[in-house]
């Protein structure tokens, strides 16, 4: 079924007020913006078949799934995120394919792979700002120094008892993928953790 088959209401609607909170002076150290309406599709296969799957996707979708662990490849409107051996998340925004799940299903119809739409199951927050890594470090055991966790690196971890996929889009900018059922809880933790630096929430 297409990711766009039915409209989705953001889990943050009505629960994540826009505006400034915490430290009132100066530029905010943390900016938080939900990214609703993304198409998110998981492709999973057998590690022995990874090369064949990756080639079929790269030819048909014009983006190569990352071969190296914990890396993300990007094209306009589309990202391919490594989440395990022969397992990737493909994420499309409004500039990406109109039916991402359908395209991947067609490309891999004769391949041993499972294609699962996760757009209804995941919530995504974009966070940025000069103190974004300081805030993440309050609840995360990963080494987040820019020389160790750089642009196009990704990792799955636990933050404040919540499973989170972290995708580094810019030096001081990340997308965080969270289970929809934990989205509001996690967002509230994130904002509280950033108050000492000043937090600006937009687009909720």
């Amino acid at each position: 079924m297409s990711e766009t088959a039915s409209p989705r209401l953001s889990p943050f609607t009505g629960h994540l007020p826009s505006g400034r909170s915490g430290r009132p002076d100066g530029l905010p150290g943390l900016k938080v913006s939900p990214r609703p309406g993304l198409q998110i599709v998981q492709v999973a296969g057998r590690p022995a078949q990874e090369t064949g799957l990756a080639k079929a996707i790269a030819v048909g979708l014009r983006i190569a799934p990352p071969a190296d662990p914990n890396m993300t490849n990007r094209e306009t409107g589309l990202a391919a995120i490594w989440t395990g051996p022969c397992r990737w998340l493909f994420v499309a925004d409004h500039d990406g394919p109109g039916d991402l799940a359908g395209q991947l299903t067609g490309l891999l119809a004769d391949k041993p792979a499972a294609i699962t739409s996760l757009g209804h199951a995941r919530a995504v927050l974009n966070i940025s700002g000069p103190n974004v890594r300081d805030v993440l470090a309050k609840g995360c055991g990963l080494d987040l120094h820019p020389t160790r966790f750089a642009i196009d690196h990704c990792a799955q971890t636990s933050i404040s008892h919540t499973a989170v996929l972290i995708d580094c889009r810019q030096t001081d900018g990340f997308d965080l993928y969270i289970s929809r059922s934990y989205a509001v809880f996690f967002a509230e933790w994130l904002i509280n953790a950033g108050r000492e630096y000043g937090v600006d929430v937009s687009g909720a």
Side-chain angles (χ1 to χ4, degrees):
M1 180 178 292
S2 168
E3 283 279 323
T4 57
S6 60
R8 292 190 298 274
L9 180 67
S10 169
F12 303 111
T13 301
H15 299 284
L16 196 60
S18 298
R20 178 73 178 258
S21 64
R23 182 178 175 179
D25 60 311
L27 295 173
L30 177 69
K31 297 180 180 180
V32 180
S33 301
R35 296 192 67 199
L38 298 176
Q39 297 183 69
I40 305 173
V41 182
Q42 177 180 270
V43 173
R46 300 172 183 173
Q49 306 294 327
E50 182 170 341
T51 300
L53 293 177
K55 183 178 180 180
I57 294 169
V59 170
L61 205 57
R62 305 291 179 86
I63 188 170
D68 295 327
N70 299 316
M71 297 297 296
T72 299
N73 289 342
R74 304 183 203 279
E75 296 292 342
T76 301
L78 186 63
I81 305 172
W82 188 96
T83 59
C86 200
R87 186 183 297 264
W88 308 279
L89 279 188
F90 292 87
V91 183
D93 60 25
H94 63 278
D95 292 324
D99 182 4
L100 182 58
Q103 289 196 33
L104 286 165
T105 298
L107 289 171
L108 304 177
D110 61 344
K111 300 287 193 298
I115 297 93
T116 308
S117 295
L118 296 176
H120 289 272
R122 298 289 182 270
V124 184
L125 287 172
N126 178 262
I127 61 172
S128 61
N131 296 107
V132 64
R133 294 176 187 262
D134 300 312
V135 175
L136 287 176
K138 289 186 176 185
C140 174
L142 296 175
D143 184 351
L144 296 170
H145 191 276
T147 60
R148 300 292 296 171
F149 204 105
I151 295 172
D152 293 336
H153 282 63
C154 64
Q156 298 173 89
T157 187
S158 176
I159 301 177
S160 185
H161 309 291
T162 304
V164 181
L165 169 62
I166 305 176
D167 177 30
C168 185
R169 296 171 58 93
Q170 301 172 332
T171 299
D172 292 323
F174 301 83
D175 277 351
L176 307 180
Y177 294 76
I178 316 107
S179 173
R180 184 181 177 93
S181 59
Y182 286 90
V184 174
F185 165 81
F186 179 78
E188 290 176 346
W189 175 88
L190 189 69
I191 291 169
N192 286 331
R195 289 189 194 282
E196 67 172 296
Y197 308 109
V199 181
D200 184 72
V201 178
S202 62

